[in-house]
Amino acid sequence: MEIKELTPFIGSEVAGATYEDLQRPEVFEQLIDIVHRRELLVVRGLELTPEQQIELATRVGRPVPFLMATYRHPEHEEIMISSNAMKANRPVGIARVGNFWHQDSSYMKDPAPYTMLHGVDVPSTSGHTLYASALDVYDRLPQEWKEKIAGRTALHTVSKRQRISPEHAGLSIAEFKALVEQQYPPTEHPLVREDRYTGRPYLYGAPEYMDSVVGFDANENAEFFAVVDGLIQDPEHVYTHRWTTNDLVVWKTATTYHAATEVEPGATRTVHRVSIEEGEQWAA
Protein backbone atom coordinates (compact mmCIF):
# COMPACT_ATOMS: atom_id res chain seq x y z
CA MET A 1 0.00 0.00 0.00
CA GLU A 2 1.45 3.34 -1.12
CA ILE A 3 0.35 6.79 0.12
CA LYS A 4 1.22 10.10 -1.54
CA GLU A 5 -0.02 13.69 -1.41
CA LEU A 6 -2.05 14.72 -4.45
CA THR A 7 -1.32 18.46 -4.12
CA PRO A 8 0.29 20.71 -1.49
CA PHE A 9 -3.14 22.13 -0.58
CA ILE A 10 -5.56 19.18 -0.60
CA GLY A 11 -5.79 15.43 -0.88
CA SER A 12 -3.82 12.21 -0.47
CA GLU A 13 -3.95 9.09 -2.63
CA VAL A 14 -3.65 5.45 -1.60
CA ALA A 15 -2.71 2.79 -4.15
CA GLY A 16 -2.51 -0.96 -3.75
CA ALA A 17 -5.09 -1.27 -0.96
CA THR A 18 -7.79 -3.94 -0.83
CA TYR A 19 -11.03 -4.17 1.12
CA GLU A 20 -9.31 -6.78 3.32
CA ASP A 21 -6.53 -4.26 4.09
CA LEU A 22 -9.14 -1.76 5.25
CA GLN A 23 -10.54 -4.32 7.68
CA ARG A 24 -7.39 -3.90 9.74
CA PRO A 25 -8.17 -1.23 12.37
CA GLU A 26 -4.74 0.39 12.21
CA VAL A 27 -5.01 0.80 8.42
CA PHE A 28 -8.52 2.21 8.51
CA GLU A 29 -7.64 4.64 11.30
CA GLN A 30 -4.65 5.81 9.27
CA LEU A 31 -6.89 6.55 6.28
CA ILE A 32 -9.47 8.40 8.37
CA ASP A 33 -6.64 10.46 9.86
CA ILE A 34 -5.68 11.40 6.29
CA VAL A 35 -9.26 12.57 5.64
CA HIS A 36 -9.13 14.73 8.77
CA ARG A 37 -5.73 16.22 8.01
CA ARG A 38 -5.84 16.45 4.19
CA GLU A 39 -9.62 16.97 3.64
CA LEU A 40 -9.75 14.47 0.75
CA LEU A 41 -8.78 10.80 0.42
CA VAL A 42 -8.56 8.85 -2.84
CA VAL A 43 -8.20 5.07 -2.69
CA ARG A 44 -7.44 3.89 -6.22
CA GLY A 45 -9.07 0.80 -7.68
CA LEU A 46 -10.77 -0.47 -4.53
CA GLU A 47 -13.18 -3.22 -5.53
CA LEU A 48 -16.30 -2.96 -3.39
CA THR A 49 -19.81 -4.34 -3.37
CA PRO A 50 -22.55 -1.92 -2.28
CA GLU A 51 -22.69 -3.80 1.02
CA GLN A 52 -18.96 -3.30 1.54
CA GLN A 53 -19.19 0.42 0.77
CA ILE A 54 -21.92 0.78 3.38
CA GLU A 55 -19.84 -1.20 5.87
CA LEU A 56 -16.91 1.16 5.38
CA ALA A 57 -19.21 4.17 5.71
CA THR A 58 -20.60 2.75 8.94
CA ARG A 59 -17.09 2.67 10.38
CA VAL A 60 -16.80 6.40 9.66
CA GLY A 61 -20.20 7.33 11.10
CA ARG A 62 -23.86 6.78 10.28
CA PRO A 63 -24.86 6.55 6.59
CA VAL A 64 -27.84 8.79 5.80
CA PRO A 65 -30.48 7.68 3.26
CA PHE A 66 -30.61 10.03 0.27
CA LEU A 67 -33.44 12.55 0.50
CA MET A 68 -34.94 11.70 -2.92
CA ALA A 69 -36.08 8.07 -2.74
CA THR A 70 -36.34 7.81 -6.54
CA TYR A 71 -32.56 7.85 -6.86
CA ARG A 72 -31.68 5.52 -4.01
CA HIS A 73 -30.09 2.16 -4.72
CA PRO A 74 -32.97 -0.33 -5.09
CA GLU A 75 -31.56 -2.56 -2.34
CA HIS A 76 -29.64 -0.08 -0.19
CA GLU A 77 -31.32 3.20 0.73
CA GLU A 78 -28.03 4.57 2.08
CA ILE A 79 -26.62 4.73 -1.47
CA MET A 80 -27.58 7.46 -3.91
CA ILE A 81 -26.92 6.50 -7.53
CA SER A 82 -25.47 9.26 -9.68
CA SER A 83 -25.75 7.97 -13.24
CA ASN A 84 -26.66 8.98 -16.77
CA ALA A 85 -27.20 5.33 -17.78
CA MET A 86 -30.58 3.94 -18.78
CA LYS A 87 -32.08 0.53 -18.03
CA ALA A 88 -35.37 -0.61 -19.57
CA ASN A 89 -35.81 2.96 -20.87
CA ARG A 90 -35.63 4.34 -17.33
CA PRO A 91 -32.82 6.33 -15.68
CA VAL A 92 -30.58 4.25 -13.43
CA GLY A 93 -29.99 7.24 -11.17
CA ILE A 94 -29.86 11.01 -11.11
CA ALA A 95 -28.04 12.01 -14.28
CA ARG A 96 -26.71 15.43 -13.44
CA VAL A 97 -25.77 16.45 -9.93
CA GLY A 98 -23.21 18.80 -8.40
CA ASN A 99 -22.08 20.43 -11.66
CA PHE A 100 -21.15 23.61 -9.80
CA TRP A 101 -18.78 24.54 -6.98
CA HIS A 102 -20.26 23.86 -3.55
CA GLN A 103 -19.80 22.41 -0.09
CA ASP A 104 -22.25 19.54 0.36
CA SER A 105 -25.66 20.53 1.74
CA SER A 106 -24.50 23.80 3.31
CA TYR A 107 -28.10 24.99 2.91
CA MET A 108 -29.05 22.59 5.72
CA LYS A 109 -28.72 23.35 9.43
CA ASP A 110 -26.56 20.30 10.16
CA PRO A 111 -25.06 18.83 6.96
CA ALA A 112 -23.53 15.38 7.13
CA PRO A 113 -19.77 15.90 7.70
CA TYR A 114 -18.50 13.22 5.28
CA THR A 115 -19.21 12.16 1.71
CA MET A 116 -18.07 8.87 0.17
CA LEU A 117 -18.13 8.11 -3.58
CA HIS A 118 -17.34 4.84 -5.33
CA GLY A 119 -16.73 4.83 -9.09
CA VAL A 120 -18.75 1.90 -10.45
CA ASP A 121 -18.66 2.72 -14.18
CA VAL A 122 -16.62 5.80 -15.03
CA PRO A 123 -15.17 7.20 -18.25
CA SER A 124 -11.51 8.20 -18.24
CA THR A 125 -11.84 11.22 -20.53
CA SER A 126 -14.72 13.17 -18.94
CA GLY A 127 -16.93 13.29 -15.86
CA HIS A 128 -14.03 14.34 -13.65
CA THR A 129 -14.52 15.86 -10.20
CA LEU A 130 -12.77 19.08 -9.19
CA TYR A 131 -11.73 19.74 -5.59
CA ALA A 132 -10.48 22.79 -3.68
CA SER A 133 -9.72 23.34 0.00
CA ALA A 134 -11.79 25.83 2.00
CA LEU A 135 -8.79 26.24 4.31
CA ASP A 136 -6.59 27.16 1.36
CA VAL A 137 -9.27 29.53 0.05
CA TYR A 138 -9.36 31.38 3.37
CA ASP A 139 -5.55 31.54 3.48
CA ARG A 140 -5.56 33.30 0.08
CA LEU A 141 -8.42 35.66 0.87
CA PRO A 142 -7.12 39.27 0.81
CA GLN A 143 -6.61 40.69 4.28
CA GLU A 144 -9.21 43.41 3.70
CA TRP A 145 -11.85 40.76 3.12
CA LYS A 146 -10.74 38.72 6.10
CA GLU A 147 -11.34 41.80 8.20
CA LYS A 148 -14.71 42.58 6.56
CA ILE A 149 -16.13 39.09 7.12
CA ALA A 150 -14.71 38.53 10.61
CA GLY A 151 -17.55 37.54 12.93
CA ARG A 152 -20.14 37.65 10.15
CA THR A 153 -22.67 35.03 9.10
CA ALA A 154 -24.14 34.18 5.70
CA LEU A 155 -27.53 32.93 4.57
CA HIS A 156 -27.32 29.64 2.68
CA THR A 157 -30.08 28.58 0.31
CA VAL A 158 -30.81 25.88 -2.25
CA SER A 159 -33.02 28.20 -4.32
CA LYS A 160 -30.33 28.96 -6.90
CA ARG A 161 -29.88 25.27 -7.68
CA GLN A 162 -33.21 23.61 -6.88
CA ARG A 163 -34.34 21.31 -9.69
CA ILE A 164 -37.74 21.69 -11.32
CA SER A 165 -39.64 18.42 -10.97
CA PRO A 166 -42.88 17.16 -12.54
CA GLU A 167 -44.82 18.11 -9.41
CA HIS A 168 -43.90 21.75 -10.05
CA ALA A 169 -45.74 21.83 -13.39
CA GLY A 170 -48.09 24.80 -13.62
CA LEU A 171 -46.35 26.89 -10.97
CA SER A 172 -45.21 30.39 -11.79
CA ILE A 173 -41.58 31.28 -11.14
CA ALA A 174 -42.64 33.24 -8.05
CA GLU A 175 -44.71 30.30 -6.77
CA PHE A 176 -41.84 27.87 -7.41
CA LYS A 177 -39.37 30.08 -5.51
CA ALA A 178 -41.81 30.45 -2.62
CA LEU A 179 -42.32 26.68 -2.44
CA VAL A 180 -38.57 26.03 -2.42
CA GLU A 181 -38.05 28.55 0.38
CA GLN A 182 -40.85 26.92 2.36
CA GLN A 183 -39.34 23.44 1.93
CA TYR A 184 -35.74 24.59 2.43
CA PRO A 185 -35.76 27.85 4.41
CA PRO A 186 -32.50 29.82 4.29
CA THR A 187 -30.02 28.70 6.93
CA GLU A 188 -27.51 30.96 8.65
CA HIS A 189 -23.92 29.80 9.19
CA PRO A 190 -20.74 31.56 10.35
CA LEU A 191 -18.62 32.59 7.36
CA VAL A 192 -15.34 31.67 9.00
CA ARG A 193 -14.96 28.49 11.01
CA GLU A 194 -12.07 26.66 12.62
CA ASP A 195 -11.31 23.11 11.56
CA ARG A 196 -11.31 21.06 14.74
CA TYR A 197 -8.68 18.60 13.48
CA THR A 198 -6.06 21.08 12.30
CA GLY A 199 -7.09 24.26 14.12
CA ARG A 200 -6.95 26.20 10.84
CA PRO A 201 -9.64 28.73 9.82
CA TYR A 202 -11.66 28.05 6.67
CA LEU A 203 -14.30 29.79 4.59
CA TYR A 204 -17.73 28.19 4.87
CA GLY A 205 -19.84 29.11 1.89
CA ALA A 206 -19.90 28.95 -1.90
CA PRO A 207 -21.76 31.57 -3.94
CA GLU A 208 -24.08 29.00 -5.56
CA TYR A 209 -25.40 27.99 -2.12
CA MET A 210 -25.28 31.44 -0.51
CA ASP A 211 -27.95 34.09 -0.70
CA SER A 212 -26.01 36.84 1.03
CA VAL A 213 -23.63 37.83 3.78
CA VAL A 214 -25.64 39.26 6.66
CA GLY A 215 -24.99 43.00 6.87
CA PHE A 216 -23.57 43.37 3.35
CA ASP A 217 -25.38 45.44 0.74
CA ALA A 218 -25.98 44.14 -2.79
CA ASN A 219 -22.72 45.59 -4.13
CA GLU A 220 -20.65 44.13 -1.28
CA ASN A 221 -22.24 40.71 -1.76
CA ALA A 222 -21.58 40.73 -5.49
CA GLU A 223 -17.96 41.80 -4.98
CA PHE A 224 -17.35 39.23 -2.24
CA PHE A 225 -18.93 36.41 -4.25
CA ALA A 226 -16.72 37.28 -7.24
CA VAL A 227 -13.60 37.20 -5.06
CA VAL A 228 -14.56 33.83 -3.55
CA ASP A 229 -15.39 32.32 -6.95
CA GLY A 230 -12.02 33.41 -8.28
CA LEU A 231 -10.16 31.85 -5.35
CA ILE A 232 -12.08 28.57 -5.48
CA GLN A 233 -11.60 28.13 -9.22
CA ASP A 234 -7.96 29.18 -9.43
CA PRO A 235 -6.48 26.38 -11.61
CA GLU A 236 -3.28 26.33 -9.57
CA HIS A 237 -5.29 25.47 -6.46
CA VAL A 238 -7.71 22.91 -7.90
CA TYR A 239 -7.20 19.15 -7.87
CA THR A 240 -8.85 17.37 -10.81
CA HIS A 241 -9.81 13.81 -9.99
CA ARG A 242 -9.80 11.77 -13.19
CA TRP A 243 -11.79 8.73 -12.25
CA THR A 244 -10.67 5.18 -12.80
CA THR A 245 -12.87 2.17 -12.16
CA ASN A 246 -13.49 1.38 -8.48
CA ASP A 247 -11.92 4.54 -7.10
CA LEU A 248 -13.16 5.32 -3.58
CA VAL A 249 -13.15 9.01 -2.70
CA VAL A 250 -13.93 10.37 0.78
CA TRP A 251 -13.96 14.00 1.91
CA LYS A 252 -14.94 16.36 4.72
CA THR A 253 -17.96 18.23 3.45
CA ALA A 254 -17.39 21.48 5.35
CA THR A 255 -13.80 22.06 4.25
CA THR A 256 -13.95 20.68 0.70
CA TYR A 257 -15.31 22.58 -2.28
CA HIS A 258 -16.04 20.41 -5.29
CA ALA A 259 -17.75 20.36 -8.68
CA ALA A 260 -18.53 17.65 -11.21
CA THR A 261 -17.58 18.19 -14.85
CA GLU A 262 -19.74 17.22 -17.82
CA VAL A 263 -19.78 13.70 -19.23
CA GLU A 264 -18.99 13.62 -22.93
CA PRO A 265 -21.78 12.57 -25.33
CA GLY A 266 -22.11 8.80 -25.67
CA ALA A 267 -20.28 8.03 -22.43
CA THR A 268 -21.96 6.56 -19.35
CA ARG A 269 -20.99 7.30 -15.79
CA THR A 270 -22.28 5.65 -12.62
CA VAL A 271 -21.08 6.56 -9.14
CA HIS A 272 -22.44 5.38 -5.77
CA ARG A 273 -22.65 8.15 -3.17
CA VAL A 274 -23.09 7.84 0.60
CA SER A 275 -23.55 10.78 2.98
CA ILE A 276 -22.24 10.06 6.46
CA GLU A 277 -23.29 11.67 9.71
CA GLU A 278 -20.89 12.07 12.62
CA GLY A 279 -19.73 8.94 14.36
CA GLU A 280 -18.69 9.00 18.02
CA GLN A 281 -15.55 7.05 17.18
CA TRP A 282 -14.08 10.02 15.27
CA ALA A 283 -15.58 12.95 17.16
CA ALA A 284 -13.01 15.30 18.59
Side-chain angles (χ1 to χ4, degrees), residues 67-71 162-172 175-176 179-180 183-184:
L67 182 64
M68 301 170 66
T70 305
Y71 302 114
Q162 176 66 20
R163 295 171 180 270
I164 298 175
S165 303
E167 62 266 26
H168 301 132
L171 296 179
S172 68
E175 289 171 331
F176 173 69
L179 178 62
V180 171
Q183 293 175 330
Y184 303 100

Side-chain angles (χ1 to χ4, degrees), residues 208-236:
E208 291 298 322
Y209 273 166
M210 280 198 295
D211 173 79
S212 59
V213 177
V214 177
F216 278 10
D217 62 28
N219 290 334
E220 288 173 313
N221 275 307
E223 187 178 357
F224 179 64
F225 285 0
V227 169
V228 173
D229 263 336
L231 293 174
I232 294 172
Q233 299 181 46
D234 181 347
E236 294 186 2

Side-chain angles (χ1 to χ4, degrees), residues 103-138:
Q103 289 151 311
D104 282 328
S105 303
S106 71
Y107 54 86
M108 298 176 64
K109 182 179 179 181
D110 296 302
Y114 305 97
T115 297
M116 174 185 286
L117 296 185
H118 189 234
V120 177
D121 175 25
V122 289
S124 59
T125 54
S126 64
H128 312 313
T129 305
L130 312 177
Y131 292 95
S133 167
L135 293 86
D136 178 60
V137 167
Y138 181 80

Side-chain angles (χ1 to χ4, degrees), residues 82-86 92-95 263-264 267-270:
S82 173
S83 177
N84 65 345
M86 301 287 289
V92 171
I94 185 168
V263 179
E264 62 190 344
T268 58
R269 180 182 186 272
T270 299

Side-chain angles (χ1 to χ4, degrees), residues 20 79 90 100 103 124 127 137 141 143 158 169 228 241 243:
E20 288 69 29
I79 293 177
R90 298 187 64 180
F100 55 92
Q103 289 151 311
S124 59
V137 167
L141 194 67
Q143 184 61 33
V158 74
V228 173
H241 183 68
W243 288 85

Side-chain angles (χ1 to χ4, degrees), residues 9 15 42 69 80 89 94 202 225 229:
F9 45 86
V42 174
M80 182 270 274
N89 293 320
I94 185 168
Y202 65 92
F225 285 0
D229 263 336

